[in-house]
Amino acid sequence: MSELTLERGLAALRAEIDAPTAAFFSSCVHCGLCAQACPFYLETGDPKYTPILKLEPLRRVWENEFTLWGRIKGLLGLQKKVTDEMLAEWEELVYDSCSLCGRCSVVCPVGNDLYAMIRKTREGMVQSGHAPEGLISASVRAITTGSPMGLQWKTLAVQIQHVESSSGLTVPVDREGAEYLVLLSSMEIINFPEYLEAITKIFDHAGISWTLSTQCFEATNAGIQIGNKDIAAELVERVVAAAETLRVSKVISPECGHAYTAIRWEGPNLIGRPYPFRVFHIIEVLDELRAAGRIKTEGKEDDRLSLHDPCNLARKSGVIQQQRNLMALVAENFVDLKEHGKYQWCCGAGGGVSSNERAEELKMAAFKRKKAQIEEVAPERMVTMCATCRTQLEEGLEAFNMEIPVVGLTEMIAEHLVERD
């Protein structure tokens, strides 16, 4: 790859400026509501974390080069240009203090999508050489090994052996003509291997035809997180190639929020063509099986349980009621957080923040909003269905000395399946 420079960054920012971008900057009424929706701003009280301010590099390029007023200011020598120093200063704002949760976009009174604009800004930041080392390393590993954590199939093969030994079931691999291709995230393989065992049990119970692929088992999209369309498209192409090789009709994304929105919503645009298959989150599949009567459960959890809606699943994708339908199968004493579903508060770790070690302090500061929500309803356990959210909930609750275990909804469903005679 040629050298990353300011000029490349400016060119990338120019390329991102289109009609929606112009409409965005022209229509912003500077009301500040986006700030009131951002946990990074609210929990630090620092005005530099206001979402609209994070777009300043992109706004300057738009004003300077795409507006009459900007050109007049240029003739008068009054332009505020984007410089390397400015991009270096903004790197923390664009990456460390934004989880791409999209809550700011939901509350904007004129309908501006700040989340999408942050994504555009990251495209310029990467090309100018201003991206966090952690995300750069994750992106390189994703391209070279297929996993942002550098995992290879042999690691998953060990997990498969454990699942088969524990469950007595077979985990299908490279099974051509299966209905579903199941993708995992490296975090699930390393931190939450019980997820693979859970879906193995549930799909056996429901009579689902499925498979893993040795060609591509990971769908976490580091390209989306760092803001590089070429990397993002390459990672999507690998999933498509694996699905086409196995001739599956449906693909299940990992329990990783950004992986889900990347492969489901952004993927076809990234690669420039529609998929020959449909994409689902495991929660959507499980709820469809529930509705069809193909999941039979027995007994319910007595503990007071509450639910964390992952941003990408609930706010961006509308998978809200499905989670609660499944909770109703297994939870006797469920209580929703006060703000949930579309308006839930982010855990603070998404959008690559958790891959960025220097953002650890900010990530935990943002978590205080979720902590306060949890304290309000005082659950005995929290439930979620995103590996990144689950890790952040566990780490955050431990950091604040709150002894509240976090469990996965898929695993909970598996634990209550009616056993066959």
Side-chain angles (χ1 to χ4, degrees):
M1 178 183 286
S2 56
E3 186 182 0
L4 302 175
T5 63
L6 173 63
E7 282 310 312
R8 283 189 59 167
L10 292 174
L13 291 174
R14 287 187 200 104
E16 292 298 321
I17 294 173
D18 51 15
T21 306
F24 178 101
F25 288 124
S26 300
S27 62
C28 176
V29 294
H30 306 285
C31 64
L33 282 179
C34 60
Q36 299 304 315
C38 177
F40 291 92
Y41 165 73
L42 290 175
E43 296 303 329
T44 62
D46 191 330
K48 72 178 183 180
Y49 296 128
T50 301
I52 188 68
L53 179 66
K54 298 169 189 175
L55 304 176
E56 184 61 13
L58 185 64
R59 191 202 68 78
R60 283 194 191 181
V61 172
W62 166 76
E63 183 184 85
N64 291 347
E65 302 184 27
F66 292 84
T67 71
L68 176 61
W69 175 237
R71 289 170 182 164
I72 292 173
K73 288 206 297 187
L75 292 173
L76 298 174
L78 299 175
Q79 273 187 346
K80 293 181 179 178
K81 294 185 177 180
V82 175
T83 63
D84 246 334
E85 291 73 21
M86 179 192 184
L87 295 181
E89 184 182 354
W90 251 253
E91 187 181 311
E92 182 211 11
L93 305 184
V94 176
Y95 288 101
D96 301 24
S97 68
C98 180
S99 59
L100 302 178
C101 81
R103 200 170 193 275
C104 50
S105 299
V106 171
V107 303
C108 178
V110 294
N112 283 334
D113 190 349
L114 284 90
Y115 151 74
M117 301 295 280
I118 289 284
R119 284 272 293 102
K120 286 174 174 285
T121 305
R122 286 188 181 188
E123 293 283 338
M125 297 296 286
V126 171
Q127 294 300 325
S128 67
H130 294 288
E133 283 300 321
L135 272 175
I136 293 172
S137 300
S139 301
V140 171
R141 286 192 294 269
I143 289 295
T144 55
T145 71
S147 156
M149 295 173 68
L151 298 188
Q152 298 180 20
W153 175 263
K154 60 185 179 183
T155 304
L156 177 54
V158 172
Q159 295 293 359
I160 290 172
Q161 289 176 0
H162 286 312
V163 169
E164 292 184 334
S165 174
S166 172
S167 68
L169 301 171
T170 298
V171 176
V173 176
D174 290 338
R175 182 171 294 175
E176 289 189 30
E179 182 178 7
Y180 290 95
L181 168 63
V182 171
L183 301 170
L184 302 169
S185 71
S186 296
M187 195 177 292
E188 288 160 8
I189 297 168
I190 295 298
N191 293 356
F192 308 114
E194 60 268 31
Y195 171 70
L196 178 58
E197 182 164 349
I199 59 175
T200 301
K201 290 179 177 177
I202 293 170
F203 286 173
D204 176 72
H205 170 92
I208 292 293
S209 168
W210 67 289
T211 187
L212 298 174
S213 167
T214 54
Q215 185 179 345
C216 178
F217 60 88
E218 159 75 77
T220 305
N221 200 309
I224 293 289
Q225 294 172 333
I226 198 170
N228 185 297
K229 289 178 180 174
D230 293 337
I231 294 175
E234 167 67 25
L235 298 177
V236 171
E237 287 280 17
R238 292 177 184 181
V239 173
V240 174
E244 289 178 335
T245 298
L246 295 173
R247 296 182 290 106
V248 300
S249 58
K250 300 169 185 172
V251 169
I252 299 176
S253 82
E255 280 202 334
C256 163
H258 283 94
Y260 172 66
T261 51
I263 191 66
R264 177 152 185 176
W265 304 122
E266 299 199 39
N269 287 331
L270 285 166
I271 65 174
R273 65 180 186 278
Y275 299 147
F277 51 82
R278 297 174 65 196
V279 178
F280 298 88
H281 190 275
I282 185 65
I283 295 302
E284 295 176 289
V285 175
L286 296 184
D287 192 49
E288 285 189 1
L289 295 175
R290 176 202 61 80
R294 296 176 68 178
I295 292 181
K296 305 293 184 185
T297 59
E298 58 185 356
K300 291 190 175 184
E301 302 287 323
D302 294 328
D303 289 356
R304 183 176 171 84
L305 302 177
S306 192
L307 191 69
H308 166 69
D309 293 280
C311 304
N312 284 278
L313 195 60
R315 181 150 45 242
K316 297 181 186 174
S317 305
V319 183
I320 299 171
Q321 188 54 47
Q322 294 94 325
Q323 303 172 39
R324 286 153 181 83
N325 294 340
L326 294 168
M327 284 295 292
L329 282 182
V330 296
E332 188 71 45
N333 188 10
F334 171 70
V335 57
D336 249 324
L337 299 179
K338 184 177 179 182
E339 290 155 306
H340 57 267
K342 184 178 179 181
Y343 292 100
Q344 63 85 24
W345 285 98
C346 177
C347 68
V353 172
S354 62
S355 300
N356 181 5
E357 290 183 13
R358 72 178 186 207
E360 183 66 22
E361 188 176 342
L362 263 178
K363 186 183 77 164
M364 280 302 161
F367 180 75
K368 290 178 183 175
R369 186 65 37 160
K370 180 58 63 180
K371 166 182 168 287
Q373 278 194 290
I374 295 172
E375 286 176 326
E376 217 171 15
V377 301
E380 292 173 274
R381 283 184 291 166
M382 285 296 296
V383 182
T384 193
M385 61 297 299
C386 167
T388 300
C389 295
R390 185 171 171 182
T391 301
Q392 169 76 338
L393 287 168
E394 289 180 343
E395 292 178 357
L397 291 169
E398 182 179 353
F400 290 104
N401 299 313
M402 295 170 68
E403 295 183 2
I404 301 175
V406 184
V407 296
L409 179 53
T410 304
E411 294 94 278
M412 193 177 291
I413 296 293
E415 289 172 3
H416 285 272
L417 292 174
V418 173
E419 291 190 10
R420 289 178 175 172
D421 295 332

